[in-house]
Amino acid sequence: MASLQASLPSISAIWSSFPDSSSINSASIVTLTSSPANDRRIRRRLRCKAMVQQAVQGAPAAYAKEMERLSAKESLLLAFKDAGGFEALVAGKTTNMQQIDVNERITGLERLNPTPRPTTSPFLEGRWNFEWFGSGSPGFFVARFIFERFPPTLANLSNMDVVIKDGKANITANFKLLNLIESKFSLSTKLLVEGPLRLKEEYIEGILESPTVIEETIPEQLKGAFNQAVTTVQQLPAPIRDAISGGLRIPLSGTFQRLFMISYLDEEILIIRDASGIPEVLTRLDPPSSPIEEPITEYES
């Protein structure tokens, strides 16, 4: 019993010569956190955590912005309808209040533009319908050409669209005379890319197509005269008949050009502004192209 008690102090002395467990753990932690490899691992974990937090926080923000954009589009289309649509625009029947309301909604949608480089976007090509245009646009040029030759009481400009393809644009206006005669005026232009937002448009040619008579709407007392006129045209020499059927061509190369920028573009709506800042709004008539990667284009100066 005495020998056991004598050995206890020596055992305690042996244990007391080692550091306690807390000092071992503390030293190990200090050594571990100060190693370069572990520093990199910790930084990676912190970066990943920050990225995850950013993604979680960014998703609702992106969703809210997209909903705001869709709401702004719907609001603009409703403003067109409230202003009387295309017919009221070309007839000059839109009020100042309606015009400022439309312009306010155009500005609201432009700031949400989802396409940073619209001049080279595949969404630009396709068939577009004119909803709104100003005094410097080809749409206004076409409308003025028609109404300068036919009084507004006789001519009715029903709709106007443009096809953009391979750096060219072809604007077509459909109109009626006395609700009996249908005709078209086409304007072809060339588009030159000058920047991610800016294009230069050069007018090439205007064509006033030969009118087509809607036979179902001809009054009975005029059908005899109409048939006689058709017979007379058919008896003309072939070159003259072909010239009449080909319509009236107006060369415009080197006469008109303009600069404009695309302020908004998505798969459904196109908004452009000319050098004076007047907006034109178009809506797509055909399905959009696939959103493939935009080609790299050298801009012309």
Side-chain angles (χ1 to χ4, degrees):
M1 187 68 178
S3 61
L4 179 60
Q5 291 177 348
S7 64
L8 287 175
S10 60
I11 294 174
S12 300
I14 293 172
W15 278 110
S16 64
S17 65
F18 290 98
D20 57 28
S21 59
S22 62
S23 63
I24 292 175
N25 292 339
S26 175
S28 301
I29 290 173
V30 171
T31 303
L32 181 62
T33 56
S34 63
S35 66
N38 195 57
D39 286 346
R40 287 193 295 270
R41 285 195 295 270
I42 292 174
R43 284 196 296 269
R44 271 200 304 270
R45 282 196 293 266
L46 291 175
R47 281 197 300 268
C48 292
K49 183 179 179 181
M51 291 172 64
V52 170
Q53 290 176 343
Q54 184 178 5
V56 171
Q57 295 172 359
Y63 176 78
K65 185 175 182 179
E66 180 64 12
M67 293 304 296
E68 182 184 7
R69 187 177 70 87
L70 295 177
S71 177
K73 287 172 60 174
E74 185 67 22
S75 177
L76 178 59
L77 296 177
L78 288 175
F80 290 148
K81 184 177 180 181
D82 293 340
F86 180 82
E87 293 79 7
L89 178 65
V90 298
K93 295 181 179 179
T94 54
T95 65
N96 290 336
M97 183 63 70
Q98 291 169 339
Q99 292 177 13
I100 196 66
D101 183 53
V102 168
N103 286 324
E104 182 181 0
R105 294 166 197 259
I106 289 174
T107 303
L109 183 58
E110 285 173 325
R111 67 182 179 83
L112 301 171
N113 177 34
T115 309
R117 303 170 66 90
T119 57
T120 54
S121 170
F123 286 144
L124 180 59
E125 294 195 342
R127 185 165 174 243
W128 299 88
N129 184 59
F130 281 88
E131 300 285 355
W132 193 265
F133 57 84
S135 58
S137 71
F140 181 81
F141 177 88
V142 172
R144 186 179 65 181
F145 177 86
I146 293 172
F147 291 126
E148 282 181 352
R149 284 150 182 80
F150 308 102
T153 55
L154 302 179
N156 175 29
L157 183 59
S158 55
N159 70 289
M160 192 159 50
D161 61 65
V162 58
V163 176
I164 301 175
K165 184 70 175 177
D166 298 330
K168 294 182 179 179
N170 188 67
I171 301 100
T172 302
N174 299 281
F175 64 97
K176 289 182 180 181
L177 298 173
L178 297 173
N179 289 325
L180 298 176
I181 303 173
E182 291 182 338
S183 188
K184 293 181 181 179
F185 181 79
S186 300
L187 178 66
S188 58
T189 68
K190 180 181 180 181
L191 301 176
L192 301 174
V193 177
E194 294 200 335
L197 303 177
R198 190 174 65 190
L199 290 166
K200 181 167 73 174
E201 185 173 36
E202 299 177 350
Y203 293 13
I204 299 175
E205 184 182 50
I207 302 176
L208 179 61
E209 297 186 6
S210 296
T212 302
V213 178
I214 309 173
E215 297 187 28
E216 294 79 6
T217 60
I218 299 176
E220 290 294 331
Q221 60 270 26
L222 297 179
K223 285 189 176 180
F226 170 73
N227 293 330
Q228 184 178 357
V230 171
T231 303
T232 302
V233 171
Q234 292 175 347
Q235 292 176 350
L236 292 172
I240 299 177
R241 188 172 65 247
D242 293 341
I244 294 176
S245 62
L248 174 64
R249 294 180 175 270
I250 307 169
L252 298 172
S253 297
T255 56
F256 298 99
Q257 69 177 28
R258 67 166 184 159
L259 292 170
F260 67 87
M261 61 171 287
I262 300 176
S263 57
Y264 182 91
L265 175 66
D266 65 12
E267 69 280 3
E268 295 177 327
I269 291 180
L270 167 63
I271 302 176
I272 67 177
R273 289 185 179 268
D274 62 14
S276 61
I278 299 176
E280 301 171 34
V281 184
L282 302 91
T283 53
R284 186 180 294 277
L285 292 174
D286 58 357
S289 303
S290 300
I292 58 176
E293 184 178 354
E294 298 180 4
I296 299 176
T297 304
E298 293 186 1
Y299 305 131
E300 298 188 16
S301 59

